[in-house]
Amino acid sequence: RRGDVMGVPFIEFLAPGILMMAVIQNSFANTSSSLVISKVQGNIVDTLMPPLAPLELVLGYLAGGVARGLFVASAISAGLWLTLGIGISHPVWTLVFVTLGGVFLGAVGVIAGIFANKFDQMAAITNFIVTPLAFLSGTFYSVQALPPVLETFTRLNPIFYLIDGARFGLIGVSDSNPWLGLAVVSGACAVLIFTAWQMIRTGYRLKT
């Protein structure tokens, strides 16, 4: 009933955002829960004792988060094709942004998992940081419909570029240039990976 958005039916406009939200939520949950459960159960020492460099630990956690995100994305993509007939307009762009989504939220999950010492703290991070950023990212609307101030704030949110990039990859329309989104998200991933590496290297909230 809502009509077209950016020249496509609303349900088609909505589908890529739902796919990316599922990817980032699963990637975040995979890395953050792995760390928090290890800390709560007291077996985080099993992760820290092996002769692995801090970067290897970070990449290991991220690999799990990205793999889970890609698995979820594949399942949802198949469902979209079977039920709505939505294919993939740009497969390479889709794969790139889905992978970056897994890396981005996987790294956030590593940082959150290191910071949180119990499940209540983890829930607070999820409810007050991750979820608002995910829902205020253009998943359910085009940022072109927002007032200028809100549009500017939305474009400062890296998750907006993940949603927008997935939309470009799946249905071929977007609010911003995918190359800009690639640059923004890649830079954000680099910062987050460095932060996670630094936290593990120094043993912040892991060795005390």
Side-chain angles (χ1 to χ4, degrees):
R1 291 195 297 269
R2 180 168 176 172
D4 292 353
V5 178
M6 297 177 64
V8 299
F10 178 64
I11 194 168
E12 291 187 19
F13 176 87
L14 188 64
I18 299 299
L19 181 146
M20 182 57 74
M21 286 186 68
V23 169
I24 62 179
Q25 288 170 357
N26 278 274
S27 297
F28 175 82
N30 196 84
T31 55
S32 61
S33 63
S34 297
L35 279 160
V36 172
I37 290 173
S38 294
K39 292 169 74 175
V40 170
Q41 293 180 343
N43 56 21
I44 188 67
V45 65
D46 296 333
T47 300
L48 300 176
M49 283 187 64
L52 296 173
L55 183 59
E56 291 176 315
L57 290 174
V58 173
L59 295 179
Y61 280 112
L62 290 181
V66 171
R68 180 169 167 176
L70 289 172
F71 180 81
V72 170
S74 299
I76 294 177
S77 297
L80 292 175
W81 179 71
L82 290 171
T83 59
L84 300 176
I86 298 176
I88 301 178
S89 296
H90 306 286
V92 175
W93 278 112
T94 303
L95 179 61
V96 166
F97 277 104
V98 168
T99 302
L100 284 175
V103 172
F104 180 82
L105 264 295
V108 173
V110 172
I111 294 170
I114 294 173
F115 179 81
N117 286 325
K118 51 188 178 180
F119 291 109
D120 290 347
Q121 295 173 341
M122 193 71 252
I125 294 171
T126 302
N127 293 334
F128 297 108
I129 298 178
V130 176
T131 300
L133 287 176
F135 276 92
L136 300 176
S137 58
T139 300
F140 304 101
Y141 52 85
S142 169
V143 296
Q144 298 175 10
L146 296 175
V149 174
L150 292 180
E151 180 178 352
T152 300
F153 277 110
T154 301
R155 291 182 183 275
L156 295 176
N157 179 4
I159 298 180
F160 158 73
Y161 295 98
L162 291 173
I163 301 293
D164 204 50
R167 184 169 289 130
F168 177 79
L170 281 176
I171 62 176
V173 299
S174 60
D175 282 309
S176 64
N177 190 315
W179 287 104
L180 173 62
L182 179 62
V184 171
V185 176
S186 297
C189 286
V191 171
L192 291 170
I193 292 172
F194 175 80
T195 303
W197 168 78
Q198 183 72 2
M199 293 173 79
I200 292 180
R201 186 184 69 83
T202 59
Y204 175 74
R205 289 200 151 191
L206 292 173
K207 297 180 180 180
T208 57

